[in-house]
């Protein structure tokens, strides 16, 4: 069994984003496979083994977010897309496109029905997670708050021009 630190060293490339699963012994780490191929590695740090690779972004992955159930992962990349993944099956669910700049952050609403993304193009976009449809967009914004009593909740506009 390897420690999480030894597992990260085994990646052989720096992990720019790390995310621990809140209920399972999983560590999600970004990995650059080449300049145009970046992936998320899923590592089981209890057993010390590599679980799966979620590949498909063509730019550096800047942000990771698990949905409230811990079953879906959103990854935001410098390629301007958000990719949604089913963690249990290791499957790509859909790609959310619409930003013209690299992604800076992604976050889920508490219900898991919607997610928000912010980009270096100075837009914030709200997406329907089930359909991938763009719900709304704000130009010249750099952030939205995803908050509520006791933790994440509805999306509120909290920063702008």
């Amino acid at each position: 069994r390897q420690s999480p630190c030894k597992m990260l060293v085994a990646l052989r490339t720096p992990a720019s984003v790390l995310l621990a699963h809140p209920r399972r012994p999983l560590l999600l780490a970004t990995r650059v496979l080449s300049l145009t191929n970046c992936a998320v590695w899923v590592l089981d740090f209890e057993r010390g083994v590599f679980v799966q690779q979620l590949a498909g972004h063509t730019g550096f992955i800047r942000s990771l977010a698990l949905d409230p159930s811990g079953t879906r992962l959103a990854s935001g990349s410098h390629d301007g897309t958000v990719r949604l993944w089913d963690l249990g099956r290791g499957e790509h669910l859909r790609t959310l496109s619409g930003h013209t700049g690299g992604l800076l952050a992604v976050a889920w609403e508490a219900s898991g029905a919607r997610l928000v993304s912010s980009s270096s193009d100075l837009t914030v976009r709200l997406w329907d997670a089930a359909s991938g449809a763009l719900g709304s967009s704000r130009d010249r914004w750099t952030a939205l708050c995803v908050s509520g009593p006791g933790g994440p909740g509805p999306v509120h506009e909290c920063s702008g021009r």
Side-chain angles (χ1 to χ4, degrees):
R1 179 178 137 180
Q2 290 185 344
S3 73
C5 292
K6 286 184 182 176
M7 292 176 74
L8 289 175
V9 170
L11 291 177
R12 294 198 175 117
T13 58
S16 59
V17 182
L18 297 173
L19 178 64
H21 196 286
R23 292 179 292 285
R24 296 173 55 197
L26 297 178
L27 181 65
L28 305 156
T30 61
R31 183 157 189 252
V32 178
L33 304 172
S34 72
L35 289 178
T36 59
N37 187 7
C38 301
V40 177
W41 272 25
V42 181
L43 309 167
D44 183 324
F45 59 82
E46 199 169 76
R47 295 183 301 143
V49 296
F50 168 84
V51 177
Q52 62 191 354
Q53 175 175 281
L54 308 174
H57 279 295
T58 59
F60 297 107
I61 299 168
R62 300 281 310 267
S63 182
L64 298 175
L66 284 167
D67 78 337
S69 69
T71 60
R72 292 176 297 170
L73 175 71
S75 57
S77 169
H78 194 263
D79 65 13
T81 66
V82 176
R83 285 182 170 257
L84 302 183
W85 308 91
D86 180 307
L87 267 184
R89 295 189 311 250
E91 291 179 0
H92 173 247
L93 298 173
R94 68 190 39 82
T95 300
L96 309 178
S97 300
H99 288 288
T100 59
L103 268 286
L104 300 173
V106 293
W108 292 86
E109 267 193 330
S111 68
R114 299 186 304 174
L115 68 147
V116 64
S117 59
S118 68
S119 168
S120 62
D121 65 8
L122 299 179
T123 63
V124 174
R125 301 196 187 282
L126 185 62
W127 306 91
D128 178 277
S131 68
L134 179 62
S136 65
S137 179
R138 297 285 186 265
D139 292 333
R140 301 186 54 84
W141 286 62
T142 56
L144 287 185
C145 293
V146 183
S147 63
V155 173
H156 302 282
E157 297 177 3
C158 66
S159 174
R161 300 174 191 203

